[in-house]
Amino acid sequence: MQITDQLIDDCCSGDRKAQEKLYKICFSPLINICHRFSNSKDDAAILLNESFYKIITQLASHDRNVSFLAWAKRITLNHCIDQYRKKNRHQTRVMEDVDLEVTEGVEDEPFEVPEKDSPSHAEFLREVKEEILSLPQPTQEVFQLFVLEGFSHKDIARLLNMKEGTSKWHVSNARKMLRRVFRTTLNKMSTLEL
Amino acid sequence: MTEEEFDNIARNAFPEEDSTFESKYWNDMEKMLDGPPPRRGLWIRLTSSAILICGISGAAYWSLKSEPEAYYSSRIQAAPEMVSAPEGDKVISDIQTQESSTNFTDASPQNKSMESIPATSSSQPLPSLETKEEVRNQRAPAVTTSSSIQIDAIPEKPERTESSISPTAPVTVYSNLDSKNQTESQKDGEVNLSVSEPMITNEGRNEVVKIVPRSLLLESSSGSLQASAMSNATPSEGGDPAEPVKSKRKPSFFMEMDYHMSAVNKRGSSSFSKDDIQTQLDRDQLQDWQVGLQAGIDFGNIYLTTGINYRQLKQSSTVRTSELLRGQTLDIAQRDQIVSIDSTILSHQIARVQKSDGFAFKIIATDYQIDTTWQTVSDTVVNTFENEVKNEQSVEYQLNYVQLPLIIGYEKNLFANWLIEGFAENELAFLTSASGSYFDEETQQVRTVDLNGVPSMIWTFRLGAGLGYLFSPNLSLRLRPSFQQIVNGHLKSDRNLNGFNGSLALRLRF
């Protein structure tokens, strides 16, 4: 099934069948994004439905020169980030304060990722997930689109209406911030193990 | 760790989940789509309020305006006999019937009503138009006015009247009708009514035309005419002769469309340093503009205005970062060296040696076990290097507001067509949308503007003066330089949006 201009026009005019068809097409790629911000499929589906409602109501503003799926992914991603931030605002602030203190002076220290299938590896990945979701909104948006969705910098620049250099800057910035946090996390874990 | 390995860690943190479609999710979605639409935004509600305010203002204006018209029209119908005049008096009942066929071409409401107002003989308002030519055509003109025109109308704003009279050629009257400046001289059978300041030219006929406001009543008594004053707002049947005209001002309404622009001097460069990252921020000017439609009420020289504006704040900046990446390469040369050698005698080889009286034993060889301890020694040479990584990024943000202004001002006429004014303006701007990115100086990060990072309301106080030009009594263009003081900031990290600015306004008075 493909998303055609005719299908989008039908959705714009409120054709429920067309909307259902579009929903089914978009379900799989969009719920993957929602899964990153939720713990269960049902929670992810709630996020997806909220995002899809936005997509349907803003369908008229969609620029036909931009891929529909990319546009829909962007709306979904932004909605998920917003919801995540609303839910975790307090916790995020506390974490940021702590991290700033801990990360002082540890940037140059080498670190090793725990081996796969080890308990500490799963714990580490859980921490990584939390930290990626706690990145600043634009940086996270670009980072997720680039690393997790596989968009090119050129596509991201066109989608987010920014320069390619800006997109690269965000990805580089995200890596830098995450690198610090990874080291801190690993240091904490090793301290706990001892 | 390479970037690819790093990205793989990030990907592994989000494993693939079950993404198969289930119909129950679409059912939920359908309920959501069938549900009531979300509440309309603030912008819609504010616009509706403004339209309502304008509607109420308009209704109030029309209700006030309709009263004097009804008054005059009822008089026209009720008293046609008033047209007859005593003998010897020259009274012209209707301007339209004049020989000189004078036409009033001014489209203002005051002069429109003037055309249909009847003249009266005694103790009635006498809207008459008399010229020397007309008087000569009458046999016995008891009144020999020297070319006088009496216009039965005083504009609601008596400081300025513009009318065009065209008997055969257009006559333009610019008059500053002020009752205090009126003089009158009266003799038997002759009345000379004059207004001190009117500048009247009849280009076609070279006549000198004088203008008398409607409030001066001609009264006939024994062949003489007297001028009496009468209030414009409440015309009465009788008037006290020679009583000065008291003009009672009525509030008038107006609409105003204005465009306001200021370029707050936020241009400049700043440098920041954090860790090994040098950041240079080059900001352009902050553009602050607004456009709006306002309704106002005018109490003489003081006016009060309110309405609705759209306001936009916009600024672009360039962020240049220079990061010094320090690294080290190690040149390692390794060699092995013996740390220790341990030797142990394992055995002696003994030989029996024949001697003359027997034999003897002699050690001919010894077996040793030698343990050699080797050590690898590394000779390390540390090479330190520095790389500078530069990056440039353009950021721009835009904040949109709906604004409710409240303006109180004082205006005063200057010369014929100019006025000056002073005003104080209080504005409440409500944030409707925000987009773009900005450089947060506190965290030294480029951040996306979101509604949480911007005050939802800006309170602006503005003091200014203005110069206006009147194209007509009802239409004026005003240039207003002012100084604005913003009480709270527009971005949490960037306060002080104060400075000089200016606006251009077009005011239409009803």
PDB file of all heavy atoms in Angstrom, chain A residues 16 20 27 35-36 41-42 49 138 147 166 169 173 175-176, chain B residues 3 7 11 14 18 20 22 25-26 34 323 391 393 445 448:
ATOM      1  N   ARG A  16     -13.663   8.670   6.055  1.00  0.00           N
ATOM      2  CA  ARG A  16     -13.219   7.825   7.151  1.00  0.00           C
ATOM      3  C   ARG A  16     -12.490   6.574   6.662  1.00  0.00           C
ATOM      4  O   ARG A  16     -11.534   6.098   7.279  1.00  0.00           O
ATOM      5  CB  ARG A  16     -14.430   7.467   8.022  1.00  0.00           C
ATOM      6  CG  ARG A  16     -14.127   6.804   9.341  1.00  0.00           C
ATOM      7  CD  ARG A  16     -13.076   7.529  10.155  1.00  0.00           C
ATOM      8  NE  ARG A  16     -13.302   8.933  10.317  1.00  0.00           N
ATOM      9  CZ  ARG A  16     -14.089   9.492  11.232  1.00  0.00           C
ATOM     10  NH1 ARG A  16     -14.739   8.734  12.063  1.00  0.00           N
ATOM     11  NH2 ARG A  16     -14.211  10.797  11.329  1.00  0.00           N
ATOM     12  N   GLU A  20      -8.736   5.488   7.641  1.00  0.00           N
ATOM     13  CA  GLU A  20      -8.386   4.172   8.192  1.00  0.00           C
ATOM     14  C   GLU A  20      -7.250   3.546   7.397  1.00  0.00           C
ATOM     15  O   GLU A  20      -6.323   2.951   7.957  1.00  0.00           O
ATOM     16  CB  GLU A  20      -9.622   3.263   8.180  1.00  0.00           C
ATOM     17  CG  GLU A  20      -9.353   1.918   8.845  1.00  0.00           C
ATOM     18  CD  GLU A  20     -10.586   1.022   8.857  1.00  0.00           C
ATOM     19  OE1 GLU A  20     -11.638   1.452   8.346  1.00  0.00           O
ATOM     20  OE2 GLU A  20     -10.484  -0.104   9.369  1.00  0.00           O
ATOM     21  N   PHE A  27       0.789   2.866  10.669  1.00  0.00           N
ATOM     22  CA  PHE A  27       0.824   2.290  12.017  1.00  0.00           C
ATOM     23  C   PHE A  27       2.211   1.768  12.393  1.00  0.00           C
ATOM     24  O   PHE A  27       2.774   2.144  13.423  1.00  0.00           O
ATOM     25  CB  PHE A  27      -0.214   1.174  12.117  1.00  0.00           C
ATOM     26  CG  PHE A  27      -0.370   0.644  13.510  1.00  0.00           C
ATOM     27  CD1 PHE A  27      -1.218   1.262  14.411  1.00  0.00           C
ATOM     28  CD2 PHE A  27       0.346  -0.473  13.933  1.00  0.00           C
ATOM     29  CE1 PHE A  27      -1.351   0.778  15.698  1.00  0.00           C
ATOM     30  CE2 PHE A  27       0.214  -0.955  15.219  1.00  0.00           C
ATOM     31  CZ  PHE A  27      -0.637  -0.332  16.103  1.00  0.00           C
ATOM     32  N   HIS A  35       7.023   3.599  20.627  1.00  0.00           N
ATOM     33  CA  HIS A  35       7.553   2.590  21.546  1.00  0.00           C
ATOM     34  C   HIS A  35       8.752   3.114  22.331  1.00  0.00           C
ATOM     35  O   HIS A  35       8.965   2.711  23.476  1.00  0.00           O
ATOM     36  CB  HIS A  35       7.984   1.344  20.766  1.00  0.00           C
ATOM     37  CG  HIS A  35       6.880   0.328  20.637  1.00  0.00           C
ATOM     38  ND1 HIS A  35       6.209  -0.160  21.720  1.00  0.00           N
ATOM     39  CD2 HIS A  35       6.344  -0.291  19.552  1.00  0.00           C
ATOM     40  CE1 HIS A  35       5.295  -1.037  21.320  1.00  0.00           C
ATOM     41  NE2 HIS A  35       5.348  -1.127  20.005  1.00  0.00           N
ATOM     42  N   ARG A  36       9.506   3.975  21.709  1.00  0.00           N
ATOM     43  CA  ARG A  36      10.707   4.483  22.390  1.00  0.00           C
ATOM     44  C   ARG A  36      10.344   5.282  23.623  1.00  0.00           C
ATOM     45  O   ARG A  36      11.155   5.462  24.521  1.00  0.00           O
ATOM     46  CB  ARG A  36      11.503   5.383  21.435  1.00  0.00           C
ATOM     47  CG  ARG A  36      12.070   4.638  20.265  1.00  0.00           C
ATOM     48  CD  ARG A  36      12.811   5.594  19.360  1.00  0.00           C
ATOM     49  NE  ARG A  36      12.862   5.027  18.027  1.00  0.00           N
ATOM     50  CZ  ARG A  36      12.777   5.717  16.912  1.00  0.00           C
ATOM     51  NH1 ARG A  36      12.654   7.027  16.966  1.00  0.00           N
ATOM     52  NH2 ARG A  36      12.827   5.119  15.747  1.00  0.00           N
ATOM     53  N   LYS A  41       2.834  -1.635  24.563  1.00  0.00           N
ATOM     54  CA  LYS A  41       2.266  -1.366  23.248  1.00  0.00           C
ATOM     55  C   LYS A  41       1.000  -0.514  23.364  1.00  0.00           C
ATOM     56  O   LYS A  41       0.739   0.339  22.518  1.00  0.00           O
ATOM     57  CB  LYS A  41       1.944  -2.686  22.544  1.00  0.00           C
ATOM     58  CG  LYS A  41       1.606  -2.499  21.077  1.00  0.00           C
ATOM     59  CD  LYS A  41       1.347  -3.811  20.396  1.00  0.00           C
ATOM     60  CE  LYS A  41       0.965  -3.586  18.940  1.00  0.00           C
ATOM     61  NZ  LYS A  41       0.641  -4.825  18.261  1.00  0.00           N
ATOM     62  N   ASP A  42       0.244  -0.744  24.428  1.00  0.00           N
ATOM     63  CA  ASP A  42      -0.973   0.045  24.608  1.00  0.00           C
ATOM     64  C   ASP A  42      -0.642   1.520  24.837  1.00  0.00           C
ATOM     65  O   ASP A  42      -1.303   2.413  24.299  1.00  0.00           O
ATOM     66  CB  ASP A  42      -1.785  -0.500  25.783  1.00  0.00           C
ATOM     67  CG  ASP A  42      -2.484  -1.801  25.403  1.00  0.00           C
ATOM     68  OD1 ASP A  42      -2.567  -2.091  24.189  1.00  0.00           O
ATOM     69  OD2 ASP A  42      -2.915  -2.527  26.312  1.00  0.00           O
ATOM     70  N   ASN A  49      -2.164   7.401  18.550  1.00  0.00           N
ATOM     71  CA  ASN A  49      -3.472   7.957  18.213  1.00  0.00           C
ATOM     72  C   ASN A  49      -3.503   9.468  18.390  1.00  0.00           C
ATOM     73  O   ASN A  49      -4.085  10.187  17.584  1.00  0.00           O
ATOM     74  CB  ASN A  49      -4.555   7.300  19.074  1.00  0.00           C
ATOM     75  CG  ASN A  49      -4.880   5.906  18.573  1.00  0.00           C
ATOM     76  OD1 ASN A  49      -4.345   5.470  17.564  1.00  0.00           O
ATOM     77  ND2 ASN A  49      -5.738   5.202  19.273  1.00  0.00           N
ATOM     78  N   PRO A 138      15.388  19.889  20.227  1.00  0.00           N
ATOM     79  CA  PRO A 138      15.822  19.888  18.827  1.00  0.00           C
ATOM     80  C   PRO A 138      16.933  18.879  18.576  1.00  0.00           C
ATOM     81  O   PRO A 138      16.969  18.207  17.552  1.00  0.00           O
ATOM     82  CB  PRO A 138      16.308  21.313  18.611  1.00  0.00           C
ATOM     83  CG  PRO A 138      16.646  21.810  19.950  1.00  0.00           C
ATOM     84  CD  PRO A 138      15.731  21.135  20.894  1.00  0.00           C
ATOM     85  N   VAL A 147      19.914   8.862  13.568  1.00  0.00           N
ATOM     86  CA  VAL A 147      20.473   7.583  14.013  1.00  0.00           C
ATOM     87  C   VAL A 147      19.425   6.470  13.999  1.00  0.00           C
ATOM     88  O   VAL A 147      19.689   5.372  13.510  1.00  0.00           O
ATOM     89  CB  VAL A 147      21.077   7.736  15.432  1.00  0.00           C
ATOM     90  CG1 VAL A 147      21.552   6.395  15.957  1.00  0.00           C
ATOM     91  CG2 VAL A 147      22.231   8.717  15.398  1.00  0.00           C
ATOM     92  N   THR A 166      23.513  22.619  10.484  1.00  0.00           N
ATOM     93  CA  THR A 166      22.829  22.648  11.775  1.00  0.00           C
ATOM     94  C   THR A 166      22.457  21.236  12.209  1.00  0.00           C
ATOM     95  O   THR A 166      22.588  20.870  13.384  1.00  0.00           O
ATOM     96  CB  THR A 166      21.562  23.508  11.658  1.00  0.00           C
ATOM     97  OG1 THR A 166      21.933  24.771  11.115  1.00  0.00           O
ATOM     98  CG2 THR A 166      20.919  23.717  13.010  1.00  0.00           C
ATOM     99  N   TRP A 169      25.451  19.551  13.393  1.00  0.00           N
ATOM    100  CA  TRP A 169      25.844  20.104  14.693  1.00  0.00           C
ATOM    101  C   TRP A 169      25.038  19.446  15.810  1.00  0.00           C
ATOM    102  O   TRP A 169      25.572  19.097  16.859  1.00  0.00           O
ATOM    103  CB  TRP A 169      25.606  21.611  14.677  1.00  0.00           C
ATOM    104  CG  TRP A 169      26.119  22.315  15.890  1.00  0.00           C
ATOM    105  CD1 TRP A 169      27.375  22.785  16.104  1.00  0.00           C
ATOM    106  CD2 TRP A 169      25.383  22.611  17.080  1.00  0.00           C
ATOM    107  NE1 TRP A 169      27.474  23.355  17.341  1.00  0.00           N
ATOM    108  CE2 TRP A 169      26.269  23.263  17.958  1.00  0.00           C
ATOM    109  CE3 TRP A 169      24.077  22.390  17.478  1.00  0.00           C
ATOM    110  CZ2 TRP A 169      25.875  23.711  19.212  1.00  0.00           C
ATOM    111  CZ3 TRP A 169      23.677  22.829  18.733  1.00  0.00           C
ATOM    112  CH2 TRP A 169      24.580  23.482  19.586  1.00  0.00           C
ATOM    113  N   ASN A 173      26.526  17.265  18.711  1.00  0.00           N
ATOM    114  CA  ASN A 173      26.274  17.722  20.074  1.00  0.00           C
ATOM    115  C   ASN A 173      25.648  16.605  20.914  1.00  0.00           C
ATOM    116  O   ASN A 173      26.008  16.408  22.084  1.00  0.00           O
ATOM    117  CB  ASN A 173      25.333  18.933  20.012  1.00  0.00           C
ATOM    118  CG  ASN A 173      25.349  19.718  21.287  1.00  0.00           C
ATOM    119  OD1 ASN A 173      26.382  19.811  21.941  1.00  0.00           O
ATOM    120  ND2 ASN A 173      24.220  20.272  21.662  1.00  0.00           N
ATOM    121  N   ARG A 175      25.974  13.394  20.450  1.00  0.00           N
ATOM    122  CA  ARG A 175      26.993  12.365  20.741  1.00  0.00           C
ATOM    123  C   ARG A 175      27.886  12.811  21.894  1.00  0.00           C
ATOM    124  O   ARG A 175      28.238  12.031  22.777  1.00  0.00           O
ATOM    125  CB  ARG A 175      27.839  12.114  19.502  1.00  0.00           C
ATOM    126  CG  ARG A 175      27.121  11.272  18.460  1.00  0.00           C
ATOM    127  CD  ARG A 175      28.043  10.969  17.324  1.00  0.00           C
ATOM    128  NE  ARG A 175      27.364  10.207  16.274  1.00  0.00           N
ATOM    129  CZ  ARG A 175      27.468  10.468  14.996  1.00  0.00           C
ATOM    130  NH1 ARG A 175      28.209  11.484  14.576  1.00  0.00           N
ATOM    131  NH2 ARG A 175      26.842   9.727  14.106  1.00  0.00           N
ATOM    132  N   LYS A 176      28.217  14.092  21.831  1.00  0.00           N
ATOM    133  CA  LYS A 176      29.116  14.609  22.868  1.00  0.00           C
ATOM    134  C   LYS A 176      28.462  14.526  24.249  1.00  0.00           C
ATOM    135  O   LYS A 176      29.065  14.093  25.233  1.00  0.00           O
ATOM    136  CB  LYS A 176      29.458  16.065  22.532  1.00  0.00           C
ATOM    137  CG  LYS A 176      30.686  16.572  23.256  1.00  0.00           C
ATOM    138  CD  LYS A 176      30.890  18.042  23.002  1.00  0.00           C
ATOM    139  CE  LYS A 176      31.025  18.348  21.534  1.00  0.00           C
ATOM    140  NZ  LYS A 176      31.033  19.788  21.274  1.00  0.00           N
TER     141      LYS A 176
ATOM    142  N   GLU B   3      32.139   6.544  15.721  1.00  0.00           N
ATOM    143  CA  GLU B   3      30.777   7.076  15.747  1.00  0.00           C
ATOM    144  C   GLU B   3      29.768   5.980  15.428  1.00  0.00           C
ATOM    145  O   GLU B   3      28.665   5.945  15.976  1.00  0.00           O
ATOM    146  CB  GLU B   3      30.659   8.218  14.739  1.00  0.00           C
ATOM    147  CG  GLU B   3      31.383   9.469  15.194  1.00  0.00           C
ATOM    148  CD  GLU B   3      31.253  10.594  14.204  1.00  0.00           C
ATOM    149  OE1 GLU B   3      30.785  10.346  13.080  1.00  0.00           O
ATOM    150  OE2 GLU B   3      31.636  11.724  14.550  1.00  0.00           O
ATOM    151  N   ASP B   7      26.704   4.936  17.632  1.00  0.00           N
ATOM    152  CA  ASP B   7      25.314   4.943  17.162  1.00  0.00           C
ATOM    153  C   ASP B   7      24.665   3.582  17.356  1.00  0.00           C
ATOM    154  O   ASP B   7      23.460   3.490  17.628  1.00  0.00           O
ATOM    155  CB  ASP B   7      25.262   5.340  15.682  1.00  0.00           C
ATOM    156  CG  ASP B   7      25.651   6.799  15.484  1.00  0.00           C
ATOM    157  OD1 ASP B   7      25.717   7.521  16.499  1.00  0.00           O
ATOM    158  OD2 ASP B   7      25.888   7.197  14.330  1.00  0.00           O
ATOM    159  N   ARG B  11      21.169   2.594  19.022  1.00  0.00           N
ATOM    160  CA  ARG B  11      20.132   1.774  18.368  1.00  0.00           C
ATOM    161  C   ARG B  11      19.756   0.582  19.246  1.00  0.00           C
ATOM    162  O   ARG B  11      18.583   0.210  19.341  1.00  0.00           O
ATOM    163  CB  ARG B  11      20.645   1.275  17.016  1.00  0.00           C
ATOM    164  CG  ARG B  11      20.731   2.386  15.980  1.00  0.00           C
ATOM    165  CD  ARG B  11      21.043   1.862  14.599  1.00  0.00           C
ATOM    166  NE  ARG B  11      21.430   2.958  13.717  1.00  0.00           N
ATOM    167  CZ  ARG B  11      22.666   3.225  13.332  1.00  0.00           C
ATOM    168  NH1 ARG B  11      23.676   2.462  13.739  1.00  0.00           N
ATOM    169  NH2 ARG B  11      22.913   4.256  12.549  1.00  0.00           N
ATOM    170  N   PHE B  14      17.097   0.948  21.852  1.00  0.00           N
ATOM    171  CA  PHE B  14      15.685   0.937  21.445  1.00  0.00           C
ATOM    172  C   PHE B  14      15.431  -0.303  20.591  1.00  0.00           C
ATOM    173  O   PHE B  14      15.437  -0.228  19.364  1.00  0.00           O
ATOM    174  CB  PHE B  14      15.347   2.194  20.638  1.00  0.00           C
ATOM    175  CG  PHE B  14      15.516   3.454  21.410  1.00  0.00           C
ATOM    176  CD1 PHE B  14      16.671   4.218  21.285  1.00  0.00           C
ATOM    177  CD2 PHE B  14      14.532   3.888  22.270  1.00  0.00           C
ATOM    178  CE1 PHE B  14      16.831   5.379  21.997  1.00  0.00           C
ATOM    179  CE2 PHE B  14      14.686   5.049  22.987  1.00  0.00           C
ATOM    180  CZ  PHE B  14      15.841   5.798  22.860  1.00  0.00           C
ATOM    181  N   ASP B  18       6.921  -5.007  19.114  1.00  0.00           N
ATOM    182  CA  ASP B  18       5.820  -5.525  18.311  1.00  0.00           C
ATOM    183  C   ASP B  18       5.056  -4.354  17.683  1.00  0.00           C
ATOM    184  O   ASP B  18       4.576  -3.469  18.382  1.00  0.00           O
ATOM    185  CB  ASP B  18       4.894  -6.321  19.226  1.00  0.00           C
ATOM    186  CG  ASP B  18       3.669  -6.809  18.474  1.00  0.00           C
ATOM    187  OD1 ASP B  18       3.762  -6.945  17.245  1.00  0.00           O
ATOM    188  OD2 ASP B  18       2.640  -7.060  19.130  1.00  0.00           O
ATOM    189  N   THR B  20       2.661  -4.834  15.097  1.00  0.00           N
ATOM    190  CA  THR B  20       1.575  -5.316  14.233  1.00  0.00           C
ATOM    191  C   THR B  20       0.297  -4.534  14.522  1.00  0.00           C
ATOM    192  O   THR B  20       0.017  -4.170  15.660  1.00  0.00           O
ATOM    193  CB  THR B  20       1.305  -6.813  14.486  1.00  0.00           C
ATOM    194  OG1 THR B  20       1.164  -7.008  15.890  1.00  0.00           O
ATOM    195  CG2 THR B  20       2.444  -7.657  13.951  1.00  0.00           C
ATOM    196  N   GLU B  22      -3.491  -3.691  15.150  1.00  0.00           N
ATOM    197  CA  GLU B  22      -4.650  -4.330  15.782  1.00  0.00           C
ATOM    198  C   GLU B  22      -5.834  -3.394  15.620  1.00  0.00           C
ATOM    199  O   GLU B  22      -5.703  -2.168  15.768  1.00  0.00           O
ATOM    200  CB  GLU B  22      -4.375  -4.594  17.260  1.00  0.00           C
ATOM    201  CG  GLU B  22      -3.318  -5.649  17.494  1.00  0.00           C
ATOM    202  CD  GLU B  22      -3.032  -5.853  18.979  1.00  0.00           C
ATOM    203  OE1 GLU B  22      -3.981  -5.793  19.783  1.00  0.00           O
ATOM    204  OE2 GLU B  22      -1.852  -6.043  19.318  1.00  0.00           O
ATOM    205  N   TYR B  25      -7.000  -0.523  18.090  1.00  0.00           N
ATOM    206  CA  TYR B  25      -6.370   0.801  18.097  1.00  0.00           C
ATOM    207  C   TYR B  25      -7.081   1.743  17.136  1.00  0.00           C
ATOM    208  O   TYR B  25      -7.234   2.930  17.411  1.00  0.00           O
ATOM    209  CB  TYR B  25      -4.885   0.683  17.737  1.00  0.00           C
ATOM    210  CG  TYR B  25      -4.103  -0.158  18.720  1.00  0.00           C
ATOM    211  CD1 TYR B  25      -3.174  -1.105  18.289  1.00  0.00           C
ATOM    212  CD2 TYR B  25      -4.299  -0.018  20.083  1.00  0.00           C
ATOM    213  CE1 TYR B  25      -2.475  -1.880  19.188  1.00  0.00           C
ATOM    214  CE2 TYR B  25      -3.600  -0.791  20.996  1.00  0.00           C
ATOM    215  CZ  TYR B  25      -2.697  -1.723  20.539  1.00  0.00           C
ATOM    216  OH  TYR B  25      -2.007  -2.481  21.433  1.00  0.00           O
ATOM    217  N   TRP B  26      -7.489   1.206  15.989  1.00  0.00           N
ATOM    218  CA  TRP B  26      -8.234   2.054  15.056  1.00  0.00           C
ATOM    219  C   TRP B  26      -9.601   2.439  15.630  1.00  0.00           C
ATOM    220  O   TRP B  26     -10.083   3.545  15.425  1.00  0.00           O
ATOM    221  CB  TRP B  26      -8.391   1.365  13.701  1.00  0.00           C
ATOM    222  CG  TRP B  26      -9.375   2.096  12.829  1.00  0.00           C
ATOM    223  CD1 TRP B  26     -10.583   1.666  12.414  1.00  0.00           C
ATOM    224  CD2 TRP B  26      -9.222   3.416  12.293  1.00  0.00           C
ATOM    225  NE1 TRP B  26     -11.202   2.628  11.658  1.00  0.00           N
ATOM    226  CE2 TRP B  26     -10.388   3.719  11.567  1.00  0.00           C
ATOM    227  CE3 TRP B  26      -8.213   4.376  12.383  1.00  0.00           C
ATOM    228  CZ2 TRP B  26     -10.574   4.927  10.908  1.00  0.00           C
ATOM    229  CZ3 TRP B  26      -8.406   5.590  11.732  1.00  0.00           C
ATOM    230  CH2 TRP B  26      -9.561   5.858  11.005  1.00  0.00           C
ATOM    231  N   ASP B  34     -14.184  11.109  15.995  1.00  0.00           N
ATOM    232  CA  ASP B  34     -15.604  11.454  16.060  1.00  0.00           C
ATOM    233  C   ASP B  34     -15.922  12.382  17.221  1.00  0.00           C
ATOM    234  O   ASP B  34     -17.010  12.954  17.264  1.00  0.00           O
ATOM    235  CB  ASP B  34     -16.442  10.173  16.220  1.00  0.00           C
ATOM    236  CG  ASP B  34     -16.448   9.374  14.928  1.00  0.00           C
ATOM    237  OD1 ASP B  34     -16.245   9.989  13.876  1.00  0.00           O
ATOM    238  OD2 ASP B  34     -16.631   8.139  14.981  1.00  0.00           O
ATOM    239  N   GLU B 323      35.762  24.619  18.631  1.00  0.00           N
ATOM    240  CA  GLU B 323      36.100  23.661  19.683  1.00  0.00           C
ATOM    241  C   GLU B 323      37.524  23.172  19.478  1.00  0.00           C
ATOM    242  O   GLU B 323      37.912  22.777  18.376  1.00  0.00           O
ATOM    243  CB  GLU B 323      35.133  22.477  19.648  1.00  0.00           C
ATOM    244  CG  GLU B 323      35.342  21.521  20.787  1.00  0.00           C
ATOM    245  CD  GLU B 323      34.336  20.385  20.785  1.00  0.00           C
ATOM    246  OE1 GLU B 323      33.540  20.295  19.822  1.00  0.00           O
ATOM    247  OE2 GLU B 323      34.359  19.586  21.723  1.00  0.00           O
ATOM    248  N   ASN B 391      32.343  25.453  13.623  1.00  0.00           N
ATOM    249  CA  ASN B 391      30.979  25.209  13.158  1.00  0.00           C
ATOM    250  C   ASN B 391      30.225  26.530  13.150  1.00  0.00           C
ATOM    251  O   ASN B 391      30.459  27.391  13.989  1.00  0.00           O
ATOM    252  CB  ASN B 391      30.283  24.215  14.095  1.00  0.00           C
ATOM    253  CG  ASN B 391      29.158  23.495  13.393  1.00  0.00           C
ATOM    254  OD1 ASN B 391      28.599  24.006  12.446  1.00  0.00           O
ATOM    255  ND2 ASN B 391      28.838  22.313  13.870  1.00  0.00           N
ATOM    256  N   GLN B 393      26.284  28.234  12.649  1.00  0.00           N
ATOM    257  CA  GLN B 393      24.869  27.891  12.634  1.00  0.00           C
ATOM    258  C   GLN B 393      24.047  29.172  12.668  1.00  0.00           C
ATOM    259  O   GLN B 393      24.340  30.085  13.444  1.00  0.00           O
ATOM    260  CB  GLN B 393      24.558  27.032  13.859  1.00  0.00           C
ATOM    261  CG  GLN B 393      23.140  26.547  13.911  1.00  0.00           C
ATOM    262  CD  GLN B 393      22.865  25.763  15.177  1.00  0.00           C
ATOM    263  OE1 GLN B 393      23.749  25.613  16.018  1.00  0.00           O
ATOM    264  NE2 GLN B 393      21.660  25.278  15.312  1.00  0.00           N
ATOM    265  N   GLN B 445      23.668  26.919  24.864  1.00  0.00           N
ATOM    266  CA  GLN B 445      23.168  25.903  23.949  1.00  0.00           C
ATOM    267  C   GLN B 445      22.167  26.553  23.001  1.00  0.00           C
ATOM    268  O   GLN B 445      21.503  27.512  23.364  1.00  0.00           O
ATOM    269  CB  GLN B 445      22.438  24.801  24.730  1.00  0.00           C
ATOM    270  CG  GLN B 445      23.337  23.950  25.590  1.00  0.00           C
ATOM    271  CD  GLN B 445      24.112  22.925  24.785  1.00  0.00           C
ATOM    272  OE1 GLN B 445      23.676  22.505  23.731  1.00  0.00           O
ATOM    273  NE2 GLN B 445      25.275  22.549  25.280  1.00  0.00           N
ATOM    274  N   THR B 448      15.454  25.280  21.018  1.00  0.00           N
ATOM    275  CA  THR B 448      14.243  25.576  20.258  1.00  0.00           C
ATOM    276  C   THR B 448      13.290  26.393  21.128  1.00  0.00           C
ATOM    277  O   THR B 448      13.109  26.092  22.294  1.00  0.00           O
ATOM    278  CB  THR B 448      13.543  24.276  19.841  1.00  0.00           C
ATOM    279  OG1 THR B 448      14.423  23.553  19.002  1.00  0.00           O
ATOM    280  CG2 THR B 448      12.272  24.565  19.076  1.00  0.00           C
TER     281      THR B 448
END
